[in-house]
Amino acid sequence: MLAFNLPNSLSRLLTTIPGRTLLIFLFLYLLLGQYCRYAFYRDPTSAFFDPSRAYEHIYSLQRQRQADAFIQAANSSSHAKNGSQVPRPATTMCLGIATVERPGEQYIRLALGSLMEGLTEDERKQIYAVILIGHTDPERHPIYHEPWLQTLSDKILTYDTLRKDQFDLLSHWEHEKDYRRKAIFDYTHLLETCLQSGAAWIAMIEDDTIAVAGWYPRTLAALDVADAQNLNRLYLRLFFTEQYLGWNRESWPTYLLASLSVVICVASTLVALRNLGHYPSISGWTIFTAAFVCTPAFILLYFLAGKLSMRPLPPGVHEMPNYGCCAQGLVFSPAAAARAVDQLKETELGFVDMILEAWADAENLARFAVVPSLLQHVGGRSSKGDDFGVAAAAGRGMAVAERIFSFGFEVYERRGDGVVYPLILRGSG
């Protein structure tokens, strides 16, 4: 039996160029791995994603405090409206929010408070705010008689004006807890009401969101950019969750070809350097180690680091036809809103965002998103049910609603000039 002396074998290996190359590679690889753990924990597309830290509310807590203070001030305001103000001739945007009673906190306070907080007097005059109380008996909603609702909204919409057959159908859906059909009806009802306002834009916002400071001028600027790129547009998205923007399975042939190209390029370069006499001491084993061991390992680390970490979306307006999720904030033109109403009325069951996405795919309609999101989803429980089912079990014990989260929203920062700036989605936070 041949004796094998491990220490001597390692010593001989480390005296060779391939051995030293491998040792240097291992050191750098471990160092880079630790850096990835430190820098990319907030990227949901990364293998180094850490949900215990990534879902931390940072900027949204600041906005919640500001929204709370604004609501308290509105509660004590003596300038309450009658809740049925007609749209102003200069209305630029109709803001539609449907709200239902939720267990515990009523997120609509934060939603409307953050949307109104910080608006200039002129900006507020450009907005027609419509709040739909989504109950056949509006008294069920805790906010219905709160003073701030009258003060901050331009129209409080209830089901009182519906036909009897529509009202009875809604009552049936409420009793049967048929949230999906009712959600489609509410969304359509709000869109139709906003269309009647004559506003240039219609923003549909869910009641469990919170808005970044300066959301309104940012949205108008983004709409101008989107218009310049494609007028055949369904919506501008104000919220998206980054968790679906990773390396897509359907693109694996592209990723494989690019990876093979890098390996071949490294191998070819090393062979050329040796053959041209620049580095004649490069051995075949060195070339093999560098090209076929180290390079694939670095490529693997590149993909493990996450797409948003390696290819971050720069702040601005981006076309996002896939993987945007969800319907927390969509802005329509009147023409697009009218077509969306027709499409939703033809659909009896489903989720609003999925219905709109399927239609946009079929009609080849462009969809744009503002990066980072201008809204954050703060709801801990869904108003549509299915919060702790199979999907939740796959989410590390978190409810489905809790994982609808904008990681980019939480890294907004405020500098000395008072303006809120977006940061790239990385860093230790």
Side-chain angles (χ1 to χ4, degrees):
M1 181 179 294
L2 294 175
F4 181 73
N5 192 318
L6 183 60
N8 291 338
S9 298
L10 287 176
S11 298
R12 288 195 299 271
L13 177 64
L14 294 179
T15 60
T16 64
I17 293 179
R20 289 196 295 268
T21 300
L22 190 59
L23 183 64
I24 293 171
F25 158 75
L26 288 174
F27 174 76
L28 290 176
Y29 203 77
L30 291 174
L31 193 65
L32 284 173
Q34 288 302 311
Y35 172 78
C36 290
R37 288 171 60 87
Y38 170 83
F40 304 142
Y41 73 87
R42 197 183 294 278
D43 179 359
T45 71
S46 172
F48 302 96
F49 176 64
D50 182 359
S52 65
R53 293 189 291 162
Y55 284 98
E56 180 185 4
H57 291 267
I58 304 172
Y59 177 66
S60 60
L61 288 181
Q62 175 185 329
R63 288 299 290 157
Q64 287 182 37
R65 290 191 292 268
Q66 293 169 338
D68 281 333
F70 190 79
I71 290 295
Q72 294 302 319
N75 266 335
S76 60
S77 173
S78 59
H79 302 290
K81 300 185 182 76
N82 59 15
S84 59
Q85 179 178 322
V86 297
R88 292 169 288 275
T91 297
T92 301
M93 181 176 290
C94 179
L95 188 64
I97 306 177
T99 179
V100 296
E101 178 194 15
R102 296 171 183 265
E105 183 177 1
Q106 306 307 309
Y107 300 114
I108 179 63
R109 299 187 183 103
L110 295 176
L112 193 56
S114 65
L115 289 165
M116 295 297 173
E117 193 277 333
L119 292 177
T120 66
E121 183 178 350
D122 182 60
E123 288 172 342
R124 179 61 187 93
K125 290 179 179 178
Q126 297 175 30
I127 296 174
Y128 183 66
V130 181
I131 309 300
L132 170 62
I133 306 297
H135 296 282
T136 51
D137 177 11
E139 300 283 344
R140 281 184 52 192
H141 205 306
I143 71 165
Y144 187 55
H145 290 295
E146 292 183 1
W148 65 267
L149 182 61
Q150 294 281 344
T151 302
L152 299 182
S153 62
D154 295 306
K155 184 178 182 63
I156 301 174
L157 190 62
T158 65
Y159 299 136
D160 293 346
T161 59
L162 297 178
R163 300 190 314 267
K164 185 179 184 303
D165 61 319
Q166 292 177 314
F167 189 90
D168 290 344
L169 186 58
L170 284 169
S171 298
H172 172 72
W173 287 339
E174 277 188 343
H175 182 265
E176 297 296 325
K177 297 183 179 181
D178 194 343
Y179 302 113
R180 297 186 185 184
R181 285 186 171 87
K182 186 175 178 299
I184 294 173
F185 181 92
D186 288 348
Y187 206 89
T188 305
H189 190 34
L190 259 180
L191 278 174
E192 289 180 316
T193 302
C194 277
L195 280 169
Q196 294 169 7
S197 72
W201 301 103
I202 297 171
M204 298 291 290
I205 310 295
E206 292 206 353
D207 69 338
D208 56 353
T209 58
I210 196 163
V212 66
W215 72 272
Y216 181 64
R218 290 169 184 252
T219 299
L220 294 183
L223 287 165
D224 288 339
V225 174
D227 275 349
Q229 295 186 44
N230 194 328
L231 290 174
N232 188 31
R233 182 181 70 251
L234 176 56
Y235 60 66
L236 173 71
R237 179 181 290 279
L238 305 185
F239 171 90
F240 65 94
T241 178
E242 297 91 344
Q243 62 181 299
Y244 302 117
L245 300 180
W247 308 109
N248 301 315
R249 291 180 180 178
E250 57 267 30
S251 299
W252 74 263
T254 301
Y255 304 147
L256 179 60
L257 181 61
S259 300
L260 290 175
S261 298
V262 172
V263 171
I264 293 172
C265 182
V266 171
S268 301
T269 300
L270 292 175
V271 170
L273 289 174
R274 183 183 64 178
N275 293 344
L276 292 175
H278 297 296
Y279 294 95
S281 61
I282 296 179
S283 66
W285 278 111
T286 299
I287 294 173
F288 177 84
T289 302
F292 300 104
V293 177
C294 300
T295 299
F298 278 124
I299 292 173
L300 175 63
L301 186 62
Y302 174 86
F303 283 103
L304 290 175
K307 186 175 182 179
L308 292 178
S309 296
M310 296 295 96
R311 300 180 185 176
L313 291 172
V317 179
H318 296 265
E319 191 165 359
M320 193 176 289
N322 299 306
Y323 313 114
C325 186
C326 299
Q328 271 64 32
L330 304 176
V331 184
F332 302 87
S333 68
R339 296 180 64 190
V341 166
D342 293 338
Q343 186 66 29
L344 290 171
K345 284 185 175 180
E346 293 177 2
T347 308
E348 293 184 357
L349 184 63
F351 292 105
V352 169
D353 57 335
M354 293 183 178
I355 295 169
L356 293 178
E357 294 302 317
W359 170 51
D361 288 339
E363 296 290 330
N364 197 29
L365 299 175
R367 286 145 284 176
F368 290 87
V370 184
V371 178
S373 295
L374 300 184
L375 300 174
Q376 176 63 291
H377 178 249
V378 295
R381 295 195 64 178
S382 173
S383 62
K384 303 175 183 65
D386 191 29
D387 229 21
F388 295 94
V390 175
R396 300 179 176 90
M398 299 178 68
V400 174
E402 290 177 302
R403 292 186 290 115
I404 300 175
F405 191 86
S406 171
F407 300 91
F409 184 92
E410 297 301 332
V411 292
Y412 275 106
E413 68 169 355
R414 184 181 293 275
R415 300 176 184 169
D417 56 8
V419 179
V420 176
Y421 296 87
L423 296 175
I424 297 299
L425 182 61
R426 63 174 64 172
S428 61

